[in-house]
């Protein structure tokens, strides 16, 4: 059985084929318009409409979702921006922009072999005939950024060459009377349009845009903004239903009674960007997400989420004292690096970090440069208890590059953070000597000038600009013979990993057991305790998971050298100073690592995927070898082919571990020992990625045919959409065998998880909650997902106790 399209595709294929050749923005239009995408996909593969992500591209097991660049993909698309990138060969070299040339080179380099289109679910296609005006407006808005006439030979000397993309991140979607949801790309900002919002036969065009600097009037002693200023546009005011705005905020009210009473998280609304703003009453808050019902609709509306205090009661001085406030940091730079380039450190007072940012104050030789569009290179989140002066340093980890002395360290003041506005600091990098250009790593350090605490993270630059020779066809009279020289091999830089310290955990919060809990049937990852026991709590964040019969909220705790969950209602939370006897709740960092990695003894994985993921993301083979117990390894242990590539040397160490574990299967488990080693060199981001990949794969295997029930709960998929996932895996009888049912389950879970971006904790928690709510929860017997939630919730306390940031900086 195949999905029915609402339009005869053959009637429009010829028009679509012509448009794709003349429209340079076809890629992004097709990414944000599911109808255009479906036609294009069927045009390229008419005989195989339904393709599995597993059959067509097995490397999707390890692909990071952050590599996607499409502006807005539908809920069931995977990396669709790669499908239509090829530029028509009929366009002359003279009519191509420099961006076209670089895209062609990227496509050749990254995809040397032709890749078949991937799976998609057919979308609603009623609106194509009526959408010509929207198509024209999208074309004209992008053409407003005039394409520059550039000297191709001098391209690498400019900071912003070929940066002609639109940089205001916004989306416009057209919905009918059935409603739907609109999400701002790469954000947690959504607008939900209920069914019946407009009359049958009418349409509603919904526009969403994030303005990075929120209103200054809402940032003062009594209130702070915790979201960007959100612009909402509606084309049709002949409506019968309200709409709902859903936003993930960058703050959490503290748990103490005073903070809970004095502080509210609210939404302010205005018809003008400058205000005045009024507070809306229809707000519903759960965890870190607020949902607002908008009833007073207008063609143009502005909303912003604010933490507001009724009054400030000493010793508090501002509303910051009542909340846990996060600040998001983005590192931006050019699309390609060159011998001298600028990286921009940017701090946001909200969770939204755009993929591209317009930089208007770049200077070169004392002169102002034209505005340029920089790409997001890396991001990080900081927890700030109150606004404070910060010192920012960027340090090159590669001897071939340096940060200019006058740019090595810069400050962000307390007053700048109080305003809630975006704060930027520029750092100028330059290359030393005349070596061939290559990507490299640099360290970002953020130091609290008051406490001296140092936070740091690593960022990898993009590749240097590819050479255009061979792509641009010059007249023969201008061609010159060039001497062919052998270029030196690119040296991949190494990172100095922090040294793991085996010492007692630094615990700030404890819980006193209010009752005795002893289970006749032991349950993995759940603690047992007696009334009056003092339990060390590894943070105040709670985990939602099923207990013996019901879903409950749990703290992650330590008691008698065991890490596990304790029901939040069974303990009274106390401070470190109030705890009397803590001897039973002490734990060494080594024991913590060994326990939180236990789920990996039972998780399903694919060795080749783990090998490639680790070898590409560990940059010092010696550090990995040492924590694995191979400190005796030397250069002599490597074959000649390993000498020049750090990734190959890392892969050799991982293979050695695999061989040793395989030789002693009863006592050693490969994935468990590898994760323990990665945690000991502070590769938490890599461990998070491996955790999400293996949990999704294992969940798919455990679910089998029950994945259909999960798909309905997680994404509200229709039977038709579920069937589309199963079509690629059907046998000759038209059915998916029980042994093959994990494949459509994996297709779905991978697609669902990709939309979370880097929020791996949310992926694991939402998956746990959905599995717990099934009719026959697999999580009652399969507890490893709960174990991974313990792992990710212990990462902060592990890093704070096992690694000294001051020494490593």
């Amino acid at each position: 059985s195949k999905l029915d399209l609402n339009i005869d595709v053959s009637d429009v294929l010829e028009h679509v084929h012509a448009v794709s050749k003349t429209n340079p923005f076809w890629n992004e239009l097709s990414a944000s318009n599911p109808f255009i995408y479906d036609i294009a996909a069927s045009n390229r593969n008419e005989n195989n409409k339904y393709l599995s992500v597993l059959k067509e591209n097995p490397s999707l097991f390890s692909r990071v979702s952050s590599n996607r660049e499409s502006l807005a993909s539908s809920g069931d698309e995977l990396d669709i921006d790669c499908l239509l990138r090829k530029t028509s060969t009929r366009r002359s070299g003279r009519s191509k922009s420099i961006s076209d040339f670089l895209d062609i080179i990227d496509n050749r380099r990254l995809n040397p072999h032709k890749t078949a289109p991937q799976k998609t679910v057919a979308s609603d296609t009623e609106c194509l005939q009526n959408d010509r005006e929207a198509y024209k407006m999208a074309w004209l808005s992008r053409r407003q950024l005039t394409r520059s006439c550039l000297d191709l030979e001098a391209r690498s000397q400019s900071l912003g060459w070929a940066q002609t993309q639109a940089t205001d991140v916004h989306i416009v979607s057209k919905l009918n009377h059935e409603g739907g949801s609109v999400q701002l790309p790469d954000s947690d900002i959504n607008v939900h349009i209920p069914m019946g919002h407009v009359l049958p036969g009418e349409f509603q065009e919904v526009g969403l845009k994030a303005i990075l600097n929120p209103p200054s009037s809402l940032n003062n002693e009594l209130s702070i903004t915790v979201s960007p200023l959100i612009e909402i546009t509606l084309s049709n005011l002949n409506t019968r239903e309200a709409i709902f705005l859903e936003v993930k905020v960058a703050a959490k009210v503290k748990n103490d009674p005073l903070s809970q009473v004095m502080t509210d998280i609210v939404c302010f609304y205005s018809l003008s960007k400058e205000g005045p703003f009024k507070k809306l009453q229809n707000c519903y808050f759960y965890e870190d997400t607020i949902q607002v019902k908008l009833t007073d609709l207008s063609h143009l509306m502005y909303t912003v989420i604010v933490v507001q205090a009724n009054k400030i009661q000493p010793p508090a001085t501002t509303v910051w004292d009542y909340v846990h406030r996060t600040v998001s940091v983005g590192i931006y730079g050019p699309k390609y690096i060159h011998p001298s380039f600028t990286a921009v450190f940017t701090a946001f007072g909200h969770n939204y970090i755009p993929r591209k940012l317009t930089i208007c104050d770049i200077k070169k030789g004392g002169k102002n440069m034209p505005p340029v569009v920089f790409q997001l290179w890396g991001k990080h989140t900081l927890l700030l208890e109150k606004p404070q002066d910060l010192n920012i340093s960027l340090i090159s980890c590669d001897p071939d590059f340096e940060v200019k002395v006058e740019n090595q360290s810069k400050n962000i003041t307390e007053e700048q953070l109080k305003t809630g506005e975006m704060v930027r600091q520029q750092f100028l990098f330059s290359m030393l000597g005349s070596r061939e250009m290559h990507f490299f790593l640099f360290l970002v350090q953020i130091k609290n000038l008051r406490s001296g605490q140092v936070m740091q993270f690593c960022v990898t630059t993009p590749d240097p600009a590819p050479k255009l020779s061979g792509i641009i066809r010059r007249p023969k009279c201008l061609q010159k013979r060039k001497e062919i020289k052998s270029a030196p091999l690119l040296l991949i830089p190494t990172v100095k990993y922090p040294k793991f310290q085996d010492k007692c955990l630094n615990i700030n919060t404890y819980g006193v057991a209010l009752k005795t809990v002893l289970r006749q049937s032991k349950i993995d990852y759940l603690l047992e305790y007696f009334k009056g026991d003092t339990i060390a709590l590894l943070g105040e964040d709670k985990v939602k998971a099923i207990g013996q019969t019901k879903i409950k909220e749990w703290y992650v705790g330590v008691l008698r050298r065991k890490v596990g969950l304790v029901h939040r209602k069974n303990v009274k939370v106390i401070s470190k100073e109030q705890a009397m006897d803590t001897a039973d709740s002490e734990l060494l960092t080594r024991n913590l690592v060994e326990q939180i990695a236990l789920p990996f003894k039972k998780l399903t994985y694919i060795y080749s995927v783990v090998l490639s993921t680790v070898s590409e993301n560990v940059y010092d083979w010696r550090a990995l070898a040492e924590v694995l117990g191979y400190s005796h390894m030397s250069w002599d242990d490597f074959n000649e082919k390993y000498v020049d590539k750090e990734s190959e040397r890392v892969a050799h160490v991982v293979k050695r571990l695999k061989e040793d574990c395989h030789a002693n299967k009863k006592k050693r488990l490969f994935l468990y020992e590898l994760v323990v080693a990665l945690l000991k060199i502070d590769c938490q981001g890599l461990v998070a990625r491996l955790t999400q990949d293996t949990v999704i794969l294992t969940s798919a295997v455990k679910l089998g045919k029950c994945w259909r029930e999960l798909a309905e709960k997680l994404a509200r998929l229709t039977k038709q959409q579920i069937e589309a996932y199963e079509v690629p895996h059907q046998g000759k009888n038209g059915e998916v065998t029980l042994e093959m049912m994990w494949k459509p389950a994996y297709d779905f879970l991978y697609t669902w998880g990709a939309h979370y971006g880097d929020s791996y904790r949310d992926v694991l928690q939402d998956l746990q909650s959905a599995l717990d709510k099934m009719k026959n929860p697999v999580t009652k017997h399969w507890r490893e997902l709960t174990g991974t939630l313990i792992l990710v919730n212990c990462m902060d306390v592990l890093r704070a106790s096992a690694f000294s940031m001051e020494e490593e900086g």
Side-chain angles (χ1 to χ4, degrees), residues 529-683:
Y529 40 88
F530 295 98
K531 183 177 180 179
D533 278 343
T534 300
I535 304 170
L537 302 183
L538 305 182
E540 296 184 16
D541 291 337
K542 293 179 279 290
V543 172
K544 284 185 180 178
I546 195 168
Q548 201 144 7
T549 55
K550 297 180 180 178
I551 299 173
K552 301 176 181 178
E553 288 188 337
W554 312 79
Y555 290 116
V556 180
V558 176
L559 182 64
R560 288 182 273 278
R561 291 179 295 281
K562 184 177 180 181
V563 180
L565 299 179
V566 53
H567 187 203
R568 71 175 183 84
K569 292 185 177 179
N570 290 347
V571 293
K572 178 184 178 182
V573 179
I574 60 175
S575 66
K576 185 177 183 178
E577 292 73 21
Q578 295 173 299
M580 300 292 290
D581 183 10
T582 61
D584 284 344
S585 55
E586 291 180 352
L587 190 72
L588 294 174
T589 52
R590 170 174 50 85
N591 300 130
L592 176 65
V593 168
E594 291 169 353
Q595 288 198 49
I596 62 179
L598 284 175
F600 289 93
K601 288 188 173 183
K602 297 181 181 180
L603 289 176
T604 305
Y605 68 97
I606 296 176
Y607 170 67
S608 60
V609 173
V610 173
L611 177 65
S612 62
T613 303
V614 173
S615 61
E616 291 169 6
N617 292 278
V618 174
Y619 304 103
D620 185 357
W621 71 270
R622 290 184 186 276
L624 182 62
E626 185 175 347
V627 293
L628 285 172
Y630 299 137
S631 55
H632 59 279
M633 288 184 68
S634 65
W635 289 92
D636 297 334
D637 295 309
F638 296 104
N639 296 332
E640 186 178 348
K641 65 179 180 179
Y642 296 131
V643 173
D644 294 312
K645 291 186 178 181
E646 189 72 16
S647 61
E648 292 291 348
R649 291 194 285 269
V650 173
H652 181 72
V653 175
V654 176
K655 290 175 184 176
R656 173 74 177 273
L657 174 66
K658 176 66 175 176
E659 292 169 2
D660 291 349
C661 292
H662 186 73
N664 191 5
K665 290 182 178 179
K666 292 184 179 179
K667 294 185 177 181
R668 301 186 64 179
L669 293 167
F670 164 71
L671 190 60
Y672 169 75
E673 292 195 16
L674 179 61
V675 169
V676 168
L678 294 174
L679 288 172
K680 286 185 176 181
I681 58 174
D682 201 26
C683 288

Side-chain angles (χ1 to χ4, degrees), residues 24 36 56 73 100 106 117 216 247 337 410 437 440 453 467 474 528 536 538 552 615 650 659 692 776 783 799:
I36 298 177
E56 291 305 310
S73 57
D100 293 326
D106 283 344
S216 57
V247 183
I337 62 171
K410 297 191 176 183
M437 289 285 295
F440 67 98
Q453 182 182 5
K467 292 180 172 59
R474 300 180 181 179
E528 294 184 337
L538 305 182
K552 301 176 181 178
S615 61
V650 173
E659 292 169 2
Q692 182 170 326
N776 296 302
R783 296 277 177 172
R799 174 173 281 170

